[in-house]
Amino acid sequence: MKIKSKYILISVVFFLGYSCIEDYDTPTPTLESFGVYELVNNNGILEAGSEVTNPVAGTTYRLQAFTQSDIATFWPGDFTYRPLGANDSIIDSRNYFLHYGQPGAQGLTTNSIAGRRGWFQDYAWPDSATYDVAIILTNHSPDDENFVQVVFDRQITVSE
């Protein structure tokens, strides 16, 4: 009986040790859907209402990305991608503290969607135009500092 329990103990230790050193691949982020939604006041809490196909300039909407990614960052298109560098500083970088998710990039950080997997940000485009919106999704490795990022582009036409 002692020999049998010794082999069981060795097997458990081997299994636990092997599972701890197993190498995990970082999954590539996928975008299930992205949309612009009207904001609805639900007892003092702003929530996403119906999807909007033709947003109006100056009106705040909720941008939502449904995804399983670890992080999402949006570039709404009214300012361009601008890495921090020689021509950029803390003073003139419009969103210096919002460079989260894309190394050296300017974008809007997001909040997680309650009850669903995804990310959102409330935003109002200042002028009527067609904007190239970028959705940057990032997954991080569970066992090292590696990450995988994918950029998804969408065009949004904003009217007056």
Side-chain angles (χ1 to χ4, degrees):
M1 191 71 167
K2 288 184 179 182
I3 293 175
K4 199 175 207 182
S5 59
K6 182 178 177 181
Y7 287 117
I8 291 172
L9 181 61
I10 291 171
S11 297
V12 169
V13 170
F14 176 75
F15 175 74
L16 289 175
Y18 179 75
S19 65
C20 291
I21 61 170
E22 188 174 342
D23 187 28
Y24 295 96
D25 290 332
T26 306
T28 300
T30 58
L31 180 64
E32 296 165 24
S33 66
F34 175 79
V36 177
Y37 297 85
E38 67 179 347
L39 280 175
V40 177
N41 188 335
N42 185 6
N43 296 323
I45 299 172
L46 292 176
E47 296 179 347
S50 302
E51 188 168 4
V52 176
T53 56
N54 192 12
V56 176
T59 303
T60 302
Y61 296 97
R62 180 154 292 177
L63 309 178
Q64 291 189 141
F66 296 102
T67 177
Q68 296 291 324
S69 71
D70 295 333
I71 297 174
T73 304
F74 299 151
W75 295 334
D78 66 330
F79 54 93
T80 58
Y81 165 76
R82 184 174 56 177
L84 291 173
N87 297 327
D88 201 2
S89 71
I90 293 174
I91 295 171
D92 68 7
S93 179
R94 175 179 162 179
N95 289 309
Y96 179 75
F97 293 102
L98 300 178
H99 289 196
Y100 186 62
Q102 177 79 3
Q106 176 173 297
L108 301 176
T109 56
T110 56
N111 301 294
S112 62
I113 298 172
R116 287 192 73 175
R117 275 300 285 205
W119 303 92
F120 78 91
Q121 178 59 261
D122 296 344
Y123 192 74
W125 285 278
D127 301 306
S128 60
T130 298
Y131 295 98
D132 294 320
V133 177
I135 303 104
I136 301 90
L137 302 180
T138 307
N139 277 340
H140 294 93
S141 173
D143 63 347
D144 60 31
E145 71 280 354
N146 292 326
F147 60 93
V148 176
Q149 286 184 325
V150 179
V151 177
F152 297 89
D153 295 312
R154 299 290 187 267
Q155 275 200 335
I156 305 289
T157 300
V158 177
S159 63
E160 284 189 38

